[in-house]
């Protein structure tokens, strides 16, 4: 992928923020391009997909958002999140469940969210947020059955800054995500989607059969095969 920051000053770390994602959307809308990567040691209003909260306790998680100015008006913005999820999976040796949940031993360790705010010249600038549970040992009751962290899965914890550095390095080696085919071979090494149950836009449950060469998910619902674009999973709440 194109480098997503130009100078070290474009990468900013803060102690605490409401949400790096919300803040980077504000930055894009303001027309500023001085910050491209924002990390925070803690988030007080972290946002997950589908309007869920994202638990981000101080120093125990990676919480960062990237404004991809170089990818303004990109034709397939959903592939950018898939590419960054792939970079995270490669650099931290994780699995990926379509479209870009980060998984270890069947538990959710992290995830990716995407927004498409408009800058003042009406370009849609992809803002990709990544959250990874590093040293978290206790989760809120509503997610404690499904969530886990590197430490709880027996891995060494990482400092959030070090985890981000590893991911940023890996991003620069990911092929340009013009089509899913450019990611597919690398992606399939980490993919654990097949057989997983997905809640479809109409509320039904479907069993994943395949991640197709266009990046769409093929699911079986009541014996019928249907295909869903990841954009729907991202933006369809
Ligand atoms: C998901 O629901 O799987 C996506 C979670 C994304 C969380 C990250 S943490 C950094 C960035 N800031 C947020 O408020 N959300 C994303």
């Amino acid at each position: 992928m194109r480098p997503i920051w130009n100078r070290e000053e474009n990468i900013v770390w803060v102690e605490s923020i409401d949400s790096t994602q919300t803040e980077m959307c504000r930055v894009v809308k303001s027309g500023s391009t001085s910050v491209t990567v924002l990390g925070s040691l803690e988030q007080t209003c972290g946002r997950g997909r589908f309007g869920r909260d994202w638990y981000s306790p101080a120093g125990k998680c990676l919480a960062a958002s990237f404004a991809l100015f170089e990818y303004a008006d990109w034709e397939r913005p959903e592939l950018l999140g898939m590419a960054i999820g792939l970079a995270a999976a490669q650099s931290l040796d994780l699995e990926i469940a379509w479209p870009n949940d980060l998984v270890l031993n069947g538990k959710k360790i992290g995830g990716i969210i995407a927004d498409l705010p408009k800058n003042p010249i009406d370009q849609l600038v992809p803002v990709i947020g990544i959250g990874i549970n590093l040293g978290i040992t206790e989760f809120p009751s509503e997610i404690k059955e499904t969530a886990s962290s590197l430490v709880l899965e027996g891995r060494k914890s990482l400092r959030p800054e070090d985890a981000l550095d590893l991911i940023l390095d890996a991003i620069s080696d990911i092929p340009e995500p013009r089509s899913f085919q450019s990611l597919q071979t690398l992606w399939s090494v980490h993919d654990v989607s097949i057989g997983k149950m997905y809640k479809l836009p109409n509320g039904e449950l479907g069993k994943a059969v395949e991640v197709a060469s266009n990046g769409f998910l093929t699911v079986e619902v009541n014996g019928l095969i249907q295909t869903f674009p990841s954009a729907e999973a991202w933006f369809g709440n």
Side-chain angles (χ1 to χ4, degrees), residues 54-72:
W54 186 261
Y55 183 55
S56 321
K60 296 192 169 189
C61 58
L62 170 64
S65 295
F66 313 135
L68 303 184
F69 296 108
E70 299 276 328
Y71 289 91

Side-chain angles (χ1 to χ4, degrees), residues 54-177:
W54 186 261
Y55 183 55
S56 321
K60 296 192 169 189
C61 58
L62 170 64
S65 295
F66 313 135
L68 303 184
F69 296 108
E70 299 276 328
Y71 289 91
D73 290 333
W74 194 248
E75 204 171 319
R76 299 231 13 223
E78 76 279 15
L79 294 181
L80 297 166
M82 293 174 93
I84 288 173
L86 173 60
Q90 286 183 331
S91 53
L92 303 180
D93 191 17
L94 301 173
E95 294 147 359
I96 313 173
W98 184 94
N100 41 35
D101 276 350
L102 297 165
V103 174
L104 194 52
N105 303 328
K107 300 267 190 142
K108 180 155 167 159
I109 294 277
I112 304 262
I113 192 171
D115 288 295
L116 278 177
K118 262 190 191 164
N119 68 11
I121 54 166
D122 272 357
Q123 291 173 315
L124 292 170
V125 177
V127 173
I128 310 292
I130 181 162
I132 302 186
N133 305 328
L134 302 172
I136 302 177
T137 49
E138 271 182 68
F139 286 92
S141 54
E142 60 280 14
I143 55 169
K144 79 166 181 230
E145 298 304 319
T146 51
S148 192
S149 67
L150 290 185
V151 162
L152 285 176
E153 296 307 312
R155 296 276 187 89
K156 211 169 67 160
S157 187
L158 282 169
R159 290 168 63 233
E161 298 90 330
D162 295 339
L164 180 65
D165 282 348
L166 290 171
I167 294 168
L168 289 176
D169 279 350
I171 287 173
S172 52
D173 291 335
I174 295 284
E176 195 72 306

